Amino acid sequence: MTITADHAATHATAAPTAPAASLLSARPHPAGHERVEVVRGARSGLVMMVAVHSTRLGPALGGCRLWHYDTVDDAVADALRLSAGMTAKNALAGLAHGGGKAVIMAPDEPLDADRREAAFLDLGDLVASFDGSYVTAEDVATGSADMAVVARQTSAVVGLPEADGGHGDPGEYTARGVHSALLAVLPRIRFASPEGLRVTIVGFGQVGSRLARMLVEAGAVVSATDVNPARRAAVEELGATWVSPADAHRLDTDVFVPAGVGGMLSGTVIDELRCLAVVGPANNQLAEADGGDRLAARGILYAPDYVVNAGGVIHLGSPGSSREEVLAQIDALGARLDEVLALAEAEALTPSRAADLLVARRLAA
């Protein structure tokens, strides 16, 4: 593992500079990861990192999230976890990509436009240093406009604005894939359609809000929440019911949808869930390794997140495919989830373990 600091050019159009002194030299090598870089951007002064978990199937593909962490250790841990999840997601989606992830540590104060631009120029330099082995994209709190800034420093970026010839926001494609997966789950919880289905969505961002609209239009009874209380108006305007973020997981519901940041399904939350199934787009939903076992013990059907939320990465990772071909791949995520659940039943495994087994088989092929 290479961990460096102060890696960036001194102006927007300069070539990337070589990495400087180590920022986290005492950290142990993360087992299973091919390369990790942690740097402080020269323009922005923000700590950022890229973790490449695997290039076994092709260049690592995974988005960049801008998030506040209490410590650099916490940010690195998130990058490592997320990049490993991307390996699994891309493998089960059938993409010729491995898994990677970028994280920028957000400061306590909001970024103004100039510092935000500086941060993504710094990220562009960091991504360029991977020489094509990592391709970045948007993720939590980042967007296509940010990727356009990254593209000034490297071509290893997808999800640029459509006006710039890019793929645009992948949110609608992720939501479409979640919807396909949810439909695949319905027969297993004795529903013929979404009509009358009670769904609780935690996280009302680009994906959660789109999914909510699709479900409301199909006749589902939707409750939703978000850590940002300003989104309450959007929830109620859609015809959904706003619930408290702290109490959402305790609501009587049929399908619980984690659609925010990862790690929501802690042991405590799992014990308090009152649902038949968990199907959501959030990455790394299980806070502990035994989360899948705990859900199964409670009789709650869990749809592994990296199967459910692959719609966006299919959209971004299929540059040579037509829109119709991409949509067909995304709509097939329900069939892919069926394959996972059938294997789980046949082999007496939890869905999480069955999905991991299918990933291992693809990586070994």
Side-chain angles (χ1 to χ4, degrees), residues 277-328:
V278 174
V279 186
N283 286 311
N284 300 107
Q285 295 168 22
L286 301 176
E288 287 98 27
D290 67 346
D293 297 315
R294 296 183 71 143
L295 286 164
R298 291 209 56 218
I300 297 172
L301 177 61
Y302 176 63
D305 50 56
Y306 61 78
V307 182
V308 171
N309 63 17
V313 77
I314 290 172
H315 167 62
L316 295 174
S318 306
S321 301
S322 68
R323 174 177 169 82
E324 292 72 22
E325 290 169 332
V326 169
L327 293 181

Short mmCIF file of all heavy atoms in Angstrom, two decimals, residues 277-328:
data_model
loop_
_atom_site.label_atom_id
_atom_site.label_comp_id
_atom_site.label_asym_id
_atom_site.label_seq_id
_atom_site.Cartn_x
_atom_site.Cartn_y
_atom_site.Cartn_z
N ALA A 277 -39.09 -7.63 4.40
CA ALA A 277 -37.91 -7.67 3.53
C ALA A 277 -37.17 -6.35 3.60
O ALA A 277 -37.74 -5.30 3.90
CB ALA A 277 -38.32 -7.96 2.08
N VAL A 278 -35.86 -6.43 3.31
CA VAL A 278 -35.01 -5.24 3.18
C VAL A 278 -34.47 -5.23 1.76
O VAL A 278 -33.78 -6.16 1.34
CB VAL A 278 -33.85 -5.27 4.19
CG1 VAL A 278 -32.90 -4.09 3.94
CG2 VAL A 278 -34.37 -5.23 5.62
N VAL A 279 -34.81 -4.17 1.02
CA VAL A 279 -34.37 -4.03 -0.38
C VAL A 279 -34.02 -2.57 -0.59
O VAL A 279 -34.92 -1.73 -0.63
CB VAL A 279 -35.48 -4.44 -1.38
CG1 VAL A 279 -34.94 -4.42 -2.80
CG2 VAL A 279 -36.07 -5.79 -1.03
N GLY A 280 -32.76 -2.24 -0.69
CA GLY A 280 -32.42 -0.82 -0.82
C GLY A 280 -31.12 -0.56 -1.55
O GLY A 280 -30.29 -1.46 -1.71
N PRO A 281 -30.91 0.70 -1.97
CA PRO A 281 -29.73 1.06 -2.75
C PRO A 281 -28.50 1.47 -1.96
O PRO A 281 -27.42 1.61 -2.55
CB PRO A 281 -30.23 2.25 -3.58
CG PRO A 281 -31.22 2.92 -2.68
CD PRO A 281 -31.91 1.77 -1.96
N ALA A 282 -28.62 1.69 -0.66
CA ALA A 282 -27.44 2.13 0.10
C ALA A 282 -26.33 1.09 0.01
O ALA A 282 -26.59 -0.12 0.02
CB ALA A 282 -27.81 2.37 1.55
N ASN A 283 -25.09 1.55 -0.09
CA ASN A 283 -23.94 0.65 -0.11
C ASN A 283 -23.63 0.15 1.30
O ASN A 283 -23.83 0.87 2.28
CB ASN A 283 -22.71 1.37 -0.66
CG ASN A 283 -22.77 1.57 -2.15
OD1 ASN A 283 -23.06 0.66 -2.91
ND2 ASN A 283 -22.50 2.79 -2.58
N ASN A 284 -23.13 -1.09 1.39
CA ASN A 284 -22.64 -1.62 2.67
C ASN A 284 -23.62 -1.41 3.81
O ASN A 284 -23.30 -0.83 4.84
CB ASN A 284 -21.29 -0.99 3.00
CG ASN A 284 -20.24 -1.27 1.94
OD1 ASN A 284 -19.88 -0.37 1.19
ND2 ASN A 284 -19.77 -2.49 1.86
N GLN A 285 -24.81 -1.89 3.61
CA GLN A 285 -25.88 -1.66 4.59
C GLN A 285 -25.64 -2.39 5.91
O GLN A 285 -26.02 -1.89 6.98
CB GLN A 285 -27.22 -2.13 3.99
CG GLN A 285 -27.66 -1.32 2.79
CD GLN A 285 -28.82 -1.97 2.06
OE1 GLN A 285 -29.55 -2.79 2.61
NE2 GLN A 285 -29.00 -1.60 0.80
N LEU A 286 -25.03 -3.56 5.85
CA LEU A 286 -24.83 -4.36 7.06
C LEU A 286 -23.66 -3.82 7.86
O LEU A 286 -22.52 -3.83 7.39
CB LEU A 286 -24.60 -5.82 6.69
CG LEU A 286 -25.73 -6.49 5.90
CD1 LEU A 286 -25.34 -7.90 5.51
CD2 LEU A 286 -27.04 -6.47 6.68
N ALA A 287 -23.92 -3.35 9.05
CA ALA A 287 -22.87 -2.75 9.87
C ALA A 287 -21.91 -3.79 10.42
O ALA A 287 -20.73 -3.49 10.67
CB ALA A 287 -23.49 -1.96 11.03
N GLU A 288 -22.38 -5.01 10.63
CA GLU A 288 -21.53 -6.09 11.15
C GLU A 288 -21.58 -7.29 10.21
O GLU A 288 -22.55 -7.46 9.46
CB GLU A 288 -21.98 -6.52 12.55
CG GLU A 288 -21.64 -5.51 13.64
CD GLU A 288 -22.83 -4.62 13.99
OE1 GLU A 288 -23.97 -5.06 13.81
OE2 GLU A 288 -22.59 -3.48 14.42
N ALA A 289 -20.54 -8.10 10.27
CA ALA A 289 -20.43 -9.24 9.35
C ALA A 289 -21.57 -10.24 9.53
O ALA A 289 -21.92 -10.95 8.58
CB ALA A 289 -19.08 -9.94 9.56
N ASP A 290 -22.15 -10.31 10.73
CA ASP A 290 -23.21 -11.29 10.96
C ASP A 290 -24.60 -10.71 10.70
O ASP A 290 -25.61 -11.34 11.03
CB ASP A 290 -23.13 -11.83 12.38
CG ASP A 290 -23.44 -10.77 13.44
OD1 ASP A 290 -23.47 -9.57 13.11
OD2 ASP A 290 -23.66 -11.16 14.62
N GLY A 291 -24.65 -9.54 10.07
CA GLY A 291 -25.94 -8.89 9.84
C GLY A 291 -26.89 -9.74 9.00
O GLY A 291 -28.09 -9.80 9.28
N GLY A 292 -26.37 -10.39 7.97
CA GLY A 292 -27.21 -11.23 7.14
C GLY A 292 -27.79 -12.40 7.91
O GLY A 292 -28.96 -12.78 7.73
N ASP A 293 -26.98 -12.97 8.81
CA ASP A 293 -27.46 -14.07 9.65
C ASP A 293 -28.55 -13.60 10.62
O ASP A 293 -29.54 -14.31 10.86
CB ASP A 293 -26.30 -14.68 10.44
CG ASP A 293 -25.25 -15.30 9.54
OD1 ASP A 293 -25.64 -16.02 8.60
OD2 ASP A 293 -24.05 -15.08 9.78
N ARG A 294 -28.37 -12.41 11.15
CA ARG A 294 -29.34 -11.88 12.11
C ARG A 294 -30.67 -11.60 11.42
O ARG A 294 -31.74 -11.85 11.98
CB ARG A 294 -28.81 -10.62 12.79
CG ARG A 294 -27.58 -10.87 13.63
CD ARG A 294 -27.11 -9.62 14.34
NE ARG A 294 -28.02 -9.25 15.42
CZ ARG A 294 -27.61 -8.73 16.58
NH1 ARG A 294 -26.32 -8.55 16.81
NH2 ARG A 294 -28.47 -8.39 17.51
N LEU A 295 -30.62 -11.07 10.20
CA LEU A 295 -31.85 -10.83 9.45
C LEU A 295 -32.56 -12.15 9.16
O LEU A 295 -33.78 -12.27 9.32
CB LEU A 295 -31.54 -10.08 8.15
CG LEU A 295 -31.20 -8.60 8.31
CD1 LEU A 295 -30.54 -8.07 7.04
CD2 LEU A 295 -32.46 -7.78 8.63
N ALA A 296 -31.79 -13.14 8.73
CA ALA A 296 -32.38 -14.45 8.43
C ALA A 296 -33.01 -15.07 9.67
O ALA A 296 -34.09 -15.67 9.60
CB ALA A 296 -31.32 -15.37 7.85
N ALA A 297 -32.34 -14.91 10.81
CA ALA A 297 -32.87 -15.48 12.05
C ALA A 297 -34.20 -14.85 12.43
O ALA A 297 -35.04 -15.48 13.08
CB ALA A 297 -31.86 -15.29 13.18
N ARG A 298 -34.40 -13.61 12.02
CA ARG A 298 -35.66 -12.92 12.31
C ARG A 298 -36.71 -13.15 11.22
O ARG A 298 -37.82 -12.62 11.30
CB ARG A 298 -35.41 -11.41 12.47
CG ARG A 298 -34.63 -11.05 13.73
CD ARG A 298 -35.01 -9.65 14.21
NE ARG A 298 -36.43 -9.56 14.43
CZ ARG A 298 -37.15 -8.48 14.13
NH1 ARG A 298 -36.58 -7.40 13.61
NH2 ARG A 298 -38.46 -8.46 14.35
N GLY A 299 -36.34 -13.91 10.18
CA GLY A 299 -37.29 -14.18 9.11
C GLY A 299 -37.47 -13.02 8.15
O GLY A 299 -38.48 -12.94 7.44
N ILE A 300 -36.50 -12.12 8.12
CA ILE A 300 -36.55 -10.96 7.22
C ILE A 300 -35.72 -11.27 5.98
O ILE A 300 -34.53 -11.60 6.08
CB ILE A 300 -36.02 -9.70 7.92
CG1 ILE A 300 -36.91 -9.34 9.11
CG2 ILE A 300 -35.95 -8.53 6.93
CD1 ILE A 300 -36.36 -8.22 9.98
N LEU A 301 -36.33 -11.19 4.80
CA LEU A 301 -35.63 -11.45 3.55
C LEU A 301 -34.73 -10.27 3.22
O LEU A 301 -35.21 -9.13 3.13
CB LEU A 301 -36.63 -11.68 2.43
CG LEU A 301 -36.05 -11.89 1.03
CD1 LEU A 301 -35.17 -13.13 0.99
CD2 LEU A 301 -37.17 -12.00 0.00
N TYR A 302 -33.44 -10.53 3.05
CA TYR A 302 -32.49 -9.46 2.73
C TYR A 302 -32.02 -9.60 1.29
O TYR A 302 -31.49 -10.65 0.90
CB TYR A 302 -31.29 -9.52 3.67
CG TYR A 302 -30.23 -8.50 3.33
CD1 TYR A 302 -30.49 -7.14 3.41
CD2 TYR A 302 -28.95 -8.91 2.93
CE1 TYR A 302 -29.52 -6.20 3.10
CE2 TYR A 302 -27.97 -7.97 2.62
CZ TYR A 302 -28.27 -6.62 2.70
OH TYR A 302 -27.31 -5.69 2.39
N ALA A 303 -32.20 -8.56 0.51
CA ALA A 303 -31.69 -8.51 -0.86
C ALA A 303 -30.32 -7.83 -0.80
O ALA A 303 -30.25 -6.63 -0.48
CB ALA A 303 -32.64 -7.73 -1.76
N PRO A 304 -29.23 -8.55 -1.08
CA PRO A 304 -27.89 -7.96 -0.94
C PRO A 304 -27.75 -6.65 -1.72
O PRO A 304 -28.13 -6.56 -2.89
CB PRO A 304 -26.98 -9.05 -1.52
CG PRO A 304 -27.73 -10.32 -1.28
CD PRO A 304 -29.17 -9.97 -1.49
N ASP A 305 -27.24 -5.64 -1.03
CA ASP A 305 -27.24 -4.29 -1.61
C ASP A 305 -26.48 -4.21 -2.92
O ASP A 305 -26.88 -3.49 -3.83
CB ASP A 305 -26.69 -3.27 -0.60
CG ASP A 305 -25.37 -3.69 0.02
OD1 ASP A 305 -24.41 -3.94 -0.71
OD2 ASP A 305 -25.30 -3.75 1.26
N TYR A 306 -25.38 -4.95 -3.05
CA TYR A 306 -24.59 -4.77 -4.27
C TYR A 306 -25.21 -5.46 -5.49
O TYR A 306 -24.76 -5.23 -6.61
CB TYR A 306 -23.14 -5.18 -4.06
CG TYR A 306 -22.87 -6.63 -3.68
CD1 TYR A 306 -22.90 -7.63 -4.64
CD2 TYR A 306 -22.53 -6.96 -2.38
CE1 TYR A 306 -22.62 -8.94 -4.30
CE2 TYR A 306 -22.24 -8.27 -2.03
CZ TYR A 306 -22.28 -9.26 -3.00
OH TYR A 306 -21.99 -10.56 -2.67
N VAL A 307 -26.26 -6.26 -5.27
CA VAL A 307 -27.06 -6.74 -6.39
C VAL A 307 -28.13 -5.69 -6.72
O VAL A 307 -28.33 -5.32 -7.88
CB VAL A 307 -27.75 -8.08 -6.04
CG1 VAL A 307 -28.55 -8.59 -7.24
CG2 VAL A 307 -26.73 -9.11 -5.60
N VAL A 308 -28.77 -5.19 -5.70
CA VAL A 308 -29.90 -4.28 -5.85
C VAL A 308 -29.51 -2.94 -6.48
O VAL A 308 -30.23 -2.40 -7.32
CB VAL A 308 -30.54 -4.03 -4.46
CG1 VAL A 308 -31.59 -2.93 -4.52
CG2 VAL A 308 -31.14 -5.32 -3.93
N ASN A 309 -28.34 -2.41 -6.10
CA ASN A 309 -28.03 -1.02 -6.48
C ASN A 309 -27.09 -0.90 -7.68
O ASN A 309 -26.47 0.14 -7.89
CB ASN A 309 -27.44 -0.26 -5.29
CG ASN A 309 -26.11 -0.84 -4.80
OD1 ASN A 309 -25.44 -1.60 -5.50
ND2 ASN A 309 -25.71 -0.46 -3.59
N ALA A 310 -27.02 -1.94 -8.51
CA ALA A 310 -26.05 -1.94 -9.60
C ALA A 310 -26.51 -1.18 -10.85
O ALA A 310 -25.74 -1.05 -11.80
CB ALA A 310 -25.70 -3.38 -9.99
N GLY A 311 -27.72 -0.66 -10.85
CA GLY A 311 -28.21 0.02 -12.05
C GLY A 311 -27.35 1.19 -12.48
O GLY A 311 -27.08 1.38 -13.68
N GLY A 312 -26.92 2.00 -11.52
CA GLY A 312 -26.11 3.17 -11.86
C GLY A 312 -24.77 2.80 -12.46
O GLY A 312 -24.32 3.39 -13.44
N VAL A 313 -24.11 1.80 -11.87
CA VAL A 313 -22.79 1.42 -12.37
C VAL A 313 -22.90 0.70 -13.72
O VAL A 313 -22.00 0.80 -14.56
CB VAL A 313 -22.03 0.57 -11.33
CG1 VAL A 313 -22.53 -0.85 -11.27
CG2 VAL A 313 -20.53 0.61 -11.59
N ILE A 314 -24.01 0.00 -13.96
CA ILE A 314 -24.24 -0.58 -15.29
C ILE A 314 -24.35 0.54 -16.32
O ILE A 314 -23.77 0.47 -17.41
CB ILE A 314 -25.50 -1.46 -15.29
CG1 ILE A 314 -25.25 -2.73 -14.48
CG2 ILE A 314 -25.91 -1.82 -16.72
CD1 ILE A 314 -26.50 -3.58 -14.26
N HIS A 315 -25.07 1.57 -15.98
CA HIS A 315 -25.22 2.73 -16.86
C HIS A 315 -23.86 3.38 -17.15
O HIS A 315 -23.54 3.67 -18.31
CB HIS A 315 -26.15 3.74 -16.19
CG HIS A 315 -26.18 5.10 -16.81
ND1 HIS A 315 -26.59 5.32 -18.11
CD2 HIS A 315 -25.85 6.32 -16.30
CE1 HIS A 315 -26.52 6.62 -18.37
NE2 HIS A 315 -26.07 7.24 -17.30
N LEU A 316 -23.05 3.56 -16.12
CA LEU A 316 -21.77 4.23 -16.29
C LEU A 316 -20.71 3.31 -16.90
O LEU A 316 -19.79 3.79 -17.57
CB LEU A 316 -21.27 4.74 -14.94
CG LEU A 316 -22.10 5.83 -14.27
CD1 LEU A 316 -21.56 6.13 -12.88
CD2 LEU A 316 -22.14 7.09 -15.12
N GLY A 317 -20.82 2.01 -16.66
CA GLY A 317 -19.78 1.08 -17.07
C GLY A 317 -20.04 0.37 -18.37
O GLY A 317 -19.37 -0.62 -18.68
N SER A 318 -21.00 0.86 -19.16
CA SER A 318 -21.33 0.23 -20.45
C SER A 318 -21.28 1.27 -21.57
O SER A 318 -22.28 1.55 -22.23
CB SER A 318 -22.73 -0.40 -20.37
OG SER A 318 -22.85 -1.27 -19.28
N PRO A 319 -20.10 1.87 -21.81
CA PRO A 319 -20.02 2.98 -22.75
C PRO A 319 -20.33 2.60 -24.20
O PRO A 319 -20.75 3.44 -24.99
CB PRO A 319 -18.57 3.46 -22.62
CG PRO A 319 -17.83 2.27 -22.11
CD PRO A 319 -18.80 1.56 -21.20
N GLY A 320 -20.14 1.34 -24.58
CA GLY A 320 -20.39 0.95 -25.96
C GLY A 320 -21.79 0.44 -26.21
O GLY A 320 -22.13 0.06 -27.34
N SER A 321 -22.63 0.45 -25.20
CA SER A 321 -23.98 -0.11 -25.33
C SER A 321 -25.00 0.98 -25.61
O SER A 321 -24.84 2.13 -25.20
CB SER A 321 -24.37 -0.84 -24.04
OG SER A 321 -23.47 -1.89 -23.75
N SER A 322 -26.06 0.61 -26.32
CA SER A 322 -27.16 1.55 -26.56
C SER A 322 -27.97 1.72 -25.28
O SER A 322 -27.87 0.92 -24.34
CB SER A 322 -28.07 1.02 -27.67
OG SER A 322 -28.75 -0.14 -27.23
N ARG A 323 -28.79 2.75 -25.26
CA ARG A 323 -29.65 2.98 -24.09
C ARG A 323 -30.56 1.78 -23.86
O ARG A 323 -30.76 1.35 -22.72
CB ARG A 323 -30.48 4.25 -24.30
CG ARG A 323 -31.51 4.49 -23.19
CD ARG A 323 -32.26 5.79 -23.39
NE ARG A 323 -33.40 5.89 -22.50
CZ ARG A 323 -33.35 6.26 -21.22
NH1 ARG A 323 -32.19 6.58 -20.68
NH2 ARG A 323 -34.44 6.34 -20.48
N GLU A 324 -31.10 1.22 -24.95
CA GLU A 324 -31.99 0.07 -24.83
C GLU A 324 -31.26 -1.12 -24.22
O GLU A 324 -31.81 -1.85 -23.39
CB GLU A 324 -32.56 -0.30 -26.19
CG GLU A 324 -33.54 0.72 -26.78
CD GLU A 324 -32.86 1.99 -27.26
OE1 GLU A 324 -31.63 1.93 -27.54
OE2 GLU A 324 -33.53 3.03 -27.33
N GLU A 325 -30.02 -1.34 -24.63
CA GLU A 325 -29.24 -2.44 -24.08
C GLU A 325 -28.94 -2.23 -22.60
O GLU A 325 -29.00 -3.18 -21.80
CB GLU A 325 -27.94 -2.60 -24.87
CG GLU A 325 -28.13 -3.12 -26.28
CD GLU A 325 -26.88 -3.03 -27.12
OE1 GLU A 325 -26.03 -2.13 -26.85
OE2 GLU A 325 -26.74 -3.84 -28.06
N VAL A 326 -28.61 -0.99 -22.23
CA VAL A 326 -28.33 -0.69 -20.83
C VAL A 326 -29.57 -0.90 -19.97
O VAL A 326 -29.52 -1.52 -18.90
CB VAL A 326 -27.80 0.75 -20.68
CG1 VAL A 326 -27.76 1.17 -19.21
CG2 VAL A 326 -26.42 0.87 -21.29
N LEU A 327 -30.72 -0.41 -20.45
CA LEU A 327 -31.95 -0.58 -19.68
C LEU A 327 -32.32 -2.05 -19.53
O LEU A 327 -32.82 -2.47 -18.48
CB LEU A 327 -33.09 0.19 -20.34
CG LEU A 327 -32.97 1.72 -20.33
CD1 LEU A 327 -34.17 2.36 -20.99
CD2 LEU A 327 -32.80 2.25 -18.91
N ALA A 328 -32.06 -2.83 -20.58
CA ALA A 328 -32.34 -4.27 -20.48
C ALA A 328 -31.46 -4.92 -19.42
O ALA A 328 -31.92 -5.79 -18.66
CB ALA A 328 -32.13 -4.93 -21.84
#
